[in-house]
């Protein structure tokens, strides 16, 4: 398995509070991604990074920000969590020639 | 722009019978295509990938998929279903045929049910 960990694995928080999810890789891959998974939607891209301090928006970026200060860490922040952000969040890395991506175990976030 | 349509939200087969999960794609580029599997409460695992080298692609656990450009399809098959195949399957397209920062576009998933 690719060396990807996510923390925390589960989190319950209240509306309006800030939340930060962490993705850590040991593969030294350049590209990292954050997705959210919701029933009936598959996975949707939130933000991605193509290098240290280089990030860009995905399909569903509103309400989220990211940071990457080191190759191995990619942080996803919900500045003020809302109930619509209740979801399972997956981090992925890509280093393959054809953009095949490898996923972390996921973080289940519940916003009450 | 690219998109993926998985034609069945649920597929139910009996153990030992063939599996067919259908996928159609749309892409402005020569696509890379993937199938991922997700077992209950687990992460996603890459089953197989199409990268234009061969139209019939073999993956793990006896699965294979055939790329048909004329039909814009990439259906997943397995000759004989096993109980352990019960899971959610995602057809996925990447817009760039080479490595890059492109995020993946996922279909909505097909839930495969295996009847004993």
């Amino acid at each position: 398995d690719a060396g990807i960990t996510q923390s925390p694995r589960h989190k319950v928080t209240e509306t309006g509070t800030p939340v930060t999810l962490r993705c850590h890789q040991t593969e030294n891959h350049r590209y990292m991604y954050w997705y959210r998974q919701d029933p009936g939607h598959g996975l949707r891209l939130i933000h991605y990074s193509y290098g240290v301090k280089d990030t860009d928006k995905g399909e569903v970026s509103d309400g989220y920000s990211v940071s990457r200060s080191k190759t191995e860490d990619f942080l996803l922040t919900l500045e003020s969590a809302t109930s619509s952000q209740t979801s399972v969040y997956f981090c992925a890395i890509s280093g393959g020639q054809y953009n095949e991506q490898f996923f972390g175990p996921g973080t289940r976030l519940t916003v009450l | 722009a690219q998109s993926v349509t998985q034609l069945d939200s649920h597929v139910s087969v009996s153990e030992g019978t063939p599996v067919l999960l259908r996928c159609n794609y749309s892409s402005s580029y020569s696509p890379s295509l993937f199938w991922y599997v997700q077992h209950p409460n687990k992460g996603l695992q890459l089953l197989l990938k199409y990268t234009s080298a061969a139209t019939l692609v073999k993956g793990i656990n006896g699965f294979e998929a055939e790329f048909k450009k004329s039909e814009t399809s990439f259906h997943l098959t397995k000759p004989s279903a096993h109980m352990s195949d019960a899971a959610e399957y995602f057809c996925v397209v990447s817009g760039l045929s080479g490595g890059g920062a492109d995020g993946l576009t996922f279909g909505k998933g097909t839930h495969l049910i295996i009847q004993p």
Side-chain angles (χ1 to χ4, degrees), chain A residues 35 37 40 97 99-101, chain B residues 36 38 49 94 99 102 104:
Chain A
Y35 295 85
Q37 182 178 28
Q97 182 180 0
N99 197 28
E100 59 266 43
Q101 296 181 13
Chain B
Y36 283 82
Q38 184 179 32
K49 63 185 179 187
S94 176
D102 200 40
L104 300 177

Side-chain angles (χ1 to χ4, degrees), chain B residues 3-7 22-25 91 107:
Chain B
S3 64
V4 175
T5 302
Q6 292 184 242
L7 299 171
R22 300 182 295 164
C23 173
N24 288 120
Y25 72 91
C91 182

Side-chain angles (χ1 to χ4, degrees), chain B residues 64-83:
Chain B
E64 61 183 37
E66 185 172 10
F67 174 75
K68 292 187 177 181
K69 186 175 182 179
S70 60
E71 298 176 10
T72 61
S73 68
F74 190 56
H75 301 333
L76 181 70
T77 60
K78 182 173 181 177
S80 177
H82 190 273
M83 294 300 292

Side-chain angles (χ1 to χ4, degrees), chain A residues 16-92:
Chain A
T17 61
V19 176
T20 295
L21 308 183
R22 179 180 183 243
C23 178
H24 179 80
Q25 61 146 332
T26 58
E27 306 296 320
N28 200 36
H29 283 329
R30 178 181 175 188
Y31 302 110
M32 299 185 74
Y33 310 81
W34 277 107
Y35 295 85
R36 61 177 288 173
Q37 182 178 28
D38 303 291
H41 288 279
L43 275 75
R44 293 178 291 175
L45 182 66
I46 305 171
H47 280 280
Y48 63 94
S49 170
Y50 46 98
V52 173
K53 299 192 189 310
D54 293 323
T55 65
D56 207 345
K57 297 178 179 180
E59 176 188 358
V60 291
S61 60
D62 287 350
Y64 301 95
S65 62
V66 291
S67 64
R68 191 167 178 201
S69 59
K70 298 184 291 184
T71 297
E72 58 266 35
D73 290 326
F74 192 32
L75 304 181
L76 176 70
T77 297
L78 291 65
E79 301 290 347
S80 177
T82 68
S83 58
S84 65
Q85 294 176 311
T86 292
S87 188
V88 180
Y89 291 86
F90 286 98
C91 174

Side-chain angles (χ1 to χ4, degrees), chain B residues 4-109:
Chain B
V4 175
T5 302
Q6 292 184 242
L7 299 171
D8 306 291
S9 60
H10 293 78
V11 170
S12 180
V13 302
S14 298
E15 189 176 21
T17 64
V19 175
L20 169 63
L21 305 183
R22 300 182 295 164
C23 173
N24 288 120
Y25 72 91
S26 172
S27 176
S28 302
Y29 303 92
S30 177
S32 293
L33 293 159
F34 312 91
W35 277 96
Y36 283 82
V37 61
Q38 184 179 32
H39 288 92
N41 298 311
K42 299 290 186 182
L44 287 94
Q45 181 182 20
L46 180 64
L47 266 183
L48 50 79
K49 63 185 179 187
Y50 166 75
T51 59
S52 76
T55 57
L56 184 62
V57 181
K58 294 189 183 299
I60 61 173
N61 300 332
F63 284 94
E64 61 183 37
E66 185 172 10
F67 174 75
K68 292 187 177 181
K69 186 175 182 179
S70 60
E71 298 176 10
T72 61
S73 68
F74 190 56
H75 301 333
L76 181 70
T77 60
K78 182 173 181 177
S80 177
H82 190 273
M83 294 300 292
S84 62
D85 295 328
E88 192 83 12
Y89 291 80
F90 294 98
C91 182
V92 181
V93 63
S94 176
L96 299 176
S97 58
D102 200 40
L104 300 177
T105 300
F106 280 73
K108 295 185 177 181

